[in-house]
Amino acid sequence: VFVDITPLLLRCSSSPVMASITQEELAKHNKADDAWIIVDGDVYDVTKFAGVHPGGTQILLEYAGKDATEDFYALHRLEVLDKYQRLNKGRLADAKGPAPKRASEMIQEFSKVPFAEPSYLQGFKSPYFNESHVKLRQEARKFFAGESMEEALECEAKSTAPSKEMRKRMGDLGLIAMVQGPGPHLKIPSSLSGGVVKPEEFTYFHEMVVQEERCRTMCPGYEDGLDGAVSIGLPVLLKYGSDWMKNDVVPPIIKGDQTCVLSITEAFAGSDVAGLRTTAVLDASGENYIVNGTKKWITGGMYADWFVTAVR
């Protein structure tokens, strides 16, 4: 199913206190040059917007001074309102209930739709997940579906790399460390998502929670740029790296200050590791390798600090 999430590209700043508008006041704005409509109790000034309304001007003006809620939701997704919050004039004084949540807020919450979440979040018992997994999922979702969403959509649209600030933020939250699974590297960040799980309690089920939440940006290119490259380059250092690599190279990567990538693919070999032509030969000192060859199509290679390179 193709879902258009472009309307979520918005500025999610906190909204000011909304004006209270009476039904009598609304009814006055019922003309083409002065048109207000109601959606979910909120009042929108569509006077100027009507001329560029994708569905046509006249159909929108038919609701001037009236409640368009039912027909609006028959034709639009909720996030359209997020995109056009600048048209919001206030809320009806006699509107029933609180103002509806924005789509950008709702996607950070656990869904009540059957099978939209893991079963242990919808009332079923599980021997594998406990409260720490629930809290970790909530914190990871806040980052991927909330904090990074705006940048993700913008980068995906413009084909640009994630910002260093967002990668640093991911490191501060311990997310870069957690997608590497259990291990001593989990003690490098100051905490794991604010301390919802301790390094010594962390299991592969906690890692699975973070891995699942990474898709919440719904922008695979951005997600790969934010951490996908590091996720395949860093494990080599954690498992096979020398002491100086683990002490000097790994911490800045875990903290989000630097990146590393996995360099295997070559122009003539593709991902056929047996066909690699790049070589590494010890120099006269016996301490350094001289590497000759080419690497191509390396995920994250355009802005990487370290390259874990496959050679002969």
Side-chain angles (χ1 to χ4, degrees):
V1 177
F2 176 78
V3 178
D4 180 11
I5 59 172
T6 304
L8 281 173
L9 185 54
L10 50 91
R11 299 295 182 264
C12 297
S13 57
S14 57
S15 301
V17 177
M18 299 178 68
S20 181
I21 300 171
T22 64
Q23 289 282 0
E24 292 74 18
E25 173 68 15
L26 172 73
K28 297 176 182 178
H29 303 273
N30 63 350
K31 297 178 284 295
D33 60 350
D34 184 13
W36 291 9
I37 66 171
I38 305 171
V39 178
D40 261 347
D42 287 344
V43 180
Y44 296 86
D45 183 350
V46 298
T47 309
K48 296 181 179 179
F49 175 70
V52 294
H53 179 230
T57 302
Q58 190 57 41
I59 190 172
L60 186 60
L61 294 179
E62 288 180 7
Y63 295 94
K66 304 175 184 178
D67 192 325
T69 302
E70 184 175 349
D71 287 342
F72 174 86
Y73 284 119
L75 299 169
H76 304 83
R77 293 171 59 85
L78 174 63
E79 48 263 43
V80 172
L81 294 179
D82 282 7
K83 184 178 181 181
Y84 294 105
Q85 279 300 308
R86 65 183 183 277
L87 305 181
N88 194 316
K89 300 294 291 184
R91 185 161 177 81
L92 279 179
D94 58 353
K96 296 180 180 179
K101 292 182 179 180
R102 294 187 179 189
S104 54
E105 297 172 328
M106 294 180 67
I107 61 173
Q108 299 179 50
E109 300 176 350
F110 292 148
S111 175
K112 295 181 181 180
V113 176
F115 306 108
E117 302 283 359
S119 60
Y120 70 90
L121 290 177
Q122 297 191 325
F124 290 87
K125 299 290 185 180
S126 171
Y128 307 108
F129 300 96
N130 55 40
E131 189 63 24
S132 68
H133 297 92
V134 177
K135 291 180 179 179
L136 178 59
R137 186 178 294 276
Q138 185 67 78
E139 292 303 311
R141 187 168 300 187
K142 286 180 182 178
F143 176 77
F144 289 111
E147 195 170 338
S148 67
M149 178 65 80
E150 183 178 345
E151 180 178 288
L153 291 167
E154 186 172 352
C155 289
E156 198 83 353
K158 297 181 178 179
S159 297
T160 54
S163 67
K164 292 182 178 180
E165 292 75 18
M166 194 61 71
R167 188 177 289 110
K168 173 63 176 174
R169 175 62 176 156
M170 191 175 178
D172 291 341
L173 291 172
L175 293 170
I176 296 176
M178 286 189 280
V179 296
Q180 306 303 322
H185 60 276
L186 293 171
K187 297 182 179 180
I188 295 176
S190 57
S191 70
L192 302 179
S193 290
V196 296
V197 59
K198 298 178 181 179
E200 57 272 19
E201 299 172 343
F202 193 89
T203 69
Y204 285 108
F205 287 103
H206 290 98
E207 181 197 350
M208 185 178 76
V209 166
V210 179
Q211 297 285 14
E212 289 177 344
E213 291 302 317
R214 287 168 67 167
C215 70
R216 292 286 172 177
T217 63
M218 296 175 278
C219 297
Y222 176 83
E223 192 278 322
D224 264 358
L226 189 62
D227 182 61
V230 172
S231 290
I232 59 176
L234 185 55
V236 182
L237 297 180
L238 294 176
K239 187 171 181 63
Y240 301 108
S242 60
D243 289 341
W244 76 267
M245 291 180 183
K246 293 178 180 178
N247 294 332
D248 298 338
V249 178
V250 169
I253 298 172
I254 291 286
K255 294 177 181 179
D257 295 320
Q258 297 181 346
T259 64
C260 74
V261 298
L262 186 63
S263 300
I264 295 178
T265 306
E266 299 179 1
F268 300 101
S271 293
D272 175 17
V273 181
L276 292 178
R277 299 183 184 183
T278 300
T279 61
V281 180
L282 277 174
D283 64 7
S285 69
E287 296 183 0
N288 304 301
Y289 282 95
I290 299 175
V291 178
N292 281 296
T294 62
K295 294 294 177 182
K296 196 170 180 65
W297 305 300
I298 304 304
T299 301
M302 297 76 71
Y303 44 84
D305 299 287
W306 299 93
F307 292 78
V308 178
T309 308
V311 299
R312 287 187 176 279

